[in-house]
Amino acid sequence: MDQDICFGNIVVDCNDEQKLCRFYKQLLGWEKREMYGHPAVRSENGLVFLFIEDEEYVSPIWPDQLNKQQKQMHFDFQVDDVAAAVQRAESLGAVKAKSQFGGENFVTMLDPAGHPFCLCAKG
């Protein structure tokens, strides 16, 4: 096994890379950067979301539906106050998913490009 491999960036496909970068910068408070000619945000500990615009991008459907674009992954963000985090995310352009499965533990949101993410109570 090659020990020279380490985790790099999380690349997020979308229909408007600047808009999605602004959303996550405001939501997470991370530093805005540019990498490989694309906008990105970087956390204090070095985690990077790199946004790539794709003309053929199709938003995923949540929850999954047969023969529809399905999510490939989603982000879980830990928060002190789920209700306050939901309000903040909505004020920045996210929408609360119509279907919810987390009870009081988490709320599923959709970012401006339609990617699902969860705001989870710290446990």
Side-chain angles (χ1 to χ4, degrees):
M1 178 136 127
D2 190 343
Q3 298 300 318
D4 292 334
I5 297 175
C6 65
F7 187 78
N9 309 311
I10 297 171
V11 180
V12 183
D13 293 341
C14 58
N15 56 350
D16 185 335
E17 61 189 29
Q18 294 295 335
K19 180 179 180 180
L20 200 57
C21 183
R22 276 191 306 277
F23 171 78
Y24 280 105
K25 179 191 181 317
Q26 292 175 324
L27 180 71
L28 303 172
W30 293 2
E31 172 191 15
K32 185 173 189 233
R33 315 231 5 210
E34 184 172 307
M35 296 180 68
Y36 313 113
H38 297 278
V41 292
R42 182 179 184 274
S43 73
E44 288 180 3
N45 66 356
L47 183 63
V48 173
F49 285 1
L50 176 61
F51 304 98
I52 305 289
E53 198 164 303
D54 182 346
E55 289 180 16
E56 304 298 321
Y57 175 77
V58 176
S59 296
I61 301 297
W62 172 258
D64 294 339
Q65 295 178 17
L66 187 62
N67 299 319
K68 300 286 185 181
Q69 178 65 47
Q70 296 184 16
K71 69 180 179 342
Q72 299 295 310
M73 65 178 186
H74 71 275
F75 307 121
D76 282 351
F77 299 110
Q78 304 293 311
V79 299
D80 291 320
D81 182 335
V82 173
V86 167
Q87 282 186 310
R88 176 163 169 68
E90 287 176 326
S91 76
L92 298 172
V95 296
K96 195 174 187 179
K98 290 181 177 136
S99 296
Q100 294 292 324
F101 305 100
E104 294 183 21
N105 297 316
F106 65 88
V107 172
T108 303
M109 305 292 293
L110 305 174
D111 73 17
H115 300 106
F117 67 93
C118 293
L119 298 170
C120 306
K122 288 182 180 175

